């Protein structure tokens, strides 16, 4: 597997990182561990084996924190990989924190204000325009300075941020921030492509295209500025949108019955993300430094670069 990343699987440094990070985490699939170990190896300061090139700077070669992004559609495993990267980078000697773009969703009250002022579909969290990008920017900046940084957490069951007393406290500065999010790196579309709806949600609930133009404008504005913060990007490439629905359904089944969406609700929810997801499947394989193609049956890795 690591041959695709231009690293030797027998590299003692990679193996040592993997052994240390795997302690107590036997349930983490080997492919996930190897990908995280490879990422940690190329982020470590110091020389790499002959012929190996860094896809990103080492963590001491950029002002703190180095921001490593993990992008991928719903159900692709971003959260699992980000947690493993956090463990593995710590095992490699980095001071590291991981957080999710999801934890910066606007509150339900603020989204309802957007829904009333701009478009009703903005009441549903998820699409660009429903995150507090300015707050995330301030957290990234704070993680580069000495002090304790409060990183928010979002309660998806309540559809609201947790109270600040329950936020994660991170001791800064950190060398690396692992930032995961479904739309990381997404680019705005050309205006002409927004005219035709991609699904029934857009056709029936956004007939004039106002909602999708708002989302597109957000991608062109504050989100584009946020993506400039990324020093590296790993893209988890789903095989198709049918797999997204299946994997997201499997995740839903793990929730208590009273918190699960039924199939119709889940299909409608995923439809909010479809346009941007389709565009990312076209554009991100060219932009991300590492692309991990997910096997339709697993999900498991099929490393593409």
């Amino acid at each position: 597997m690591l041959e695709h990343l231009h690293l030797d699987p027998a590299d003692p440094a990679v193996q040592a990182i993997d052994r240390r990070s795997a302690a107590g985490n036997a349930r983490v699939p080997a492919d996930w561990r190897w990908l995280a170990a490879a990422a940690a190896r190329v982020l470590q300061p110091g020389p790499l084996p002959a012929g190996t090139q860094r896809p990103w700077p080492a963590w001491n070669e950029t002002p703190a924190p180095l921001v490593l992004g993990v992008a991928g559609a719903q159900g692709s495993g971003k959260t699992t990989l980000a947690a493993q990267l956090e463990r593995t980078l710590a095992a490699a000697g980095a001071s590291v924190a991981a957080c999710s773009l999801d934890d910066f969703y606007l509150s339900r009250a603020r989204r309802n204000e957007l829904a009333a002022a701009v478009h009703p579909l903005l009441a549903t969290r998820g699409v660009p325009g429903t995150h507090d990008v300015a707050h995330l920017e301030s957290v990234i900046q704070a993680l580069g300075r000495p002090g304790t940084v409060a990183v928010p957490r979002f309660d998806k069951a309540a559809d609201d941020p947790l109270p600040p007393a329950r936020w994660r406290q991170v001791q800064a500065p950190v060398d690396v921030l692992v930032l995961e999010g479904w739309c990381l790196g997404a680019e705005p579309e050309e205006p002409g492509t927004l005219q035709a709806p991609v699904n029934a949600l857009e056709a029936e609930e956004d007939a004039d295209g106002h909602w999708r133009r708002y989302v597109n404008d957000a991608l062109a504005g504050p989100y584009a500025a946020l993506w400039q913060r990324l020093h590296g990007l790993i893209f988890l490439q789903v095989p198709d949108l049918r797999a997204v629905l299946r994997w997201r359904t499997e995740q839903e089944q793990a929730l208590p019955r009273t918190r699960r969406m039924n199939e119709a609700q889940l299909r409608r929810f995923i439809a909010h993300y479809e346009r941007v997801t389709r565009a990312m499947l076209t554009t991100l394989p060219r932009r991300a430094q590492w692309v991990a193609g997910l096997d339709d049956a697993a999900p498991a890795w099929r490393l593409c670069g």
Side-chain angles (χ1 to χ4, degrees), residues 73 237-247 277 281 294 296:
Q237 186 178 28
V238 298
D240 53 43
L241 292 177
R242 289 174 298 179
V244 173
L245 177 60
R246 186 172 67 256
W247 295 340
T277 299
L281 289 172
L294 301 184
D296 192 24

Side-chain angles (χ1 to χ4, degrees), residues 8-280:
D8 182 357
D11 180 350
V14 174
Q15 292 186 342
I17 291 169
D18 178 58
R19 283 195 301 272
R20 290 195 298 270
S21 65
N25 294 293
R27 295 175 60 185
V28 177
D31 286 350
W32 300 71
R33 286 177 27 217
W34 278 115
L35 182 62
R41 179 70 178 99
V42 297
L43 284 168
Q44 266 187 326
L48 293 175
T52 302
Q53 297 184 355
R54 294 189 193 275
W56 319 297
W59 67 63
N60 67 340
E61 294 177 346
T62 185
L66 182 148
V67 184
L68 177 62
V70 179
Q74 291 73 34
S76 60
K78 301 179 299 299
T79 303
T80 300
L81 178 58
Q84 183 63 17
L85 282 164
E86 185 177 23
R87 287 189 292 266
T88 305
L89 283 160
S95 171
V96 57
C99 71
S100 173
L101 185 63
D102 289 2
D103 284 321
F104 293 85
Y105 282 135
L106 297 173
S107 68
R108 182 165 46 181
R110 289 182 64 185
R111 283 182 280 116
N112 284 337
E113 291 173 1
L114 276 177
V118 181
H119 194 285
L121 285 175
L122 290 169
T124 300
R125 68 176 189 264
V127 297
T130 62
H131 302 90
D132 191 341
V133 174
H135 189 186
L136 176 52
E137 284 274 10
S138 70
V139 166
I140 294 173
Q141 291 178 20
L143 287 171
R145 303 188 295 263
T148 302
V149 182
V151 180
R153 297 170 61 198
F154 192 87
D155 183 348
K156 293 182 178 179
D159 199 20
D160 256 328
L162 287 170
R166 297 179 61 187
W167 290 4
R168 182 182 179 189
Q169 303 298 313
V170 176
Q171 193 60 43
V174 299
D175 299 313
V176 182
L177 170 65
V178 179
L179 176 63
E180 60 96 350
W182 80 271
C183 62
L184 255 64
E187 296 180 296
E189 296 181 69
E190 292 296 327
T193 65
L194 300 174
Q195 295 178 6
V198 299
N199 55 33
L201 178 81
E202 291 189 358
E204 297 167 7
E205 301 185 47
D206 186 40
D208 63 358
H210 189 61
W211 171 69
R212 47 194 186 265
R213 285 195 298 273
Y214 182 89
V215 172
N216 206 56
D217 289 346
L219 282 174
Y223 288 77
L226 177 61
W227 305 160
Q228 293 299 313
R229 285 273 190 185
L230 301 176
H231 296 91
L233 183 61
I234 299 173
F235 180 44
L236 308 183
Q237 186 178 28
V238 298
D240 53 43
L241 292 177
R242 289 174 298 179
V244 173
L245 177 60
R246 186 172 67 256
W247 295 340
R248 186 62 181 78
T249 300
E250 291 171 359
Q251 289 182 335
E252 201 71 15
Q253 295 305 307
L255 297 174
R257 187 176 298 276
T258 55
R259 290 174 51 187
R260 296 177 195 168
M261 287 185 276
N262 61 36
E263 183 177 350
Q265 291 170 324
L266 195 55
R267 286 182 179 275
R268 183 180 182 277
F269 183 68
I270 290 175
H272 289 75
Y273 303 88
E274 181 173 346
R275 174 178 290 275
V276 176
T277 299
R278 288 185 182 276
M280 290 174 67

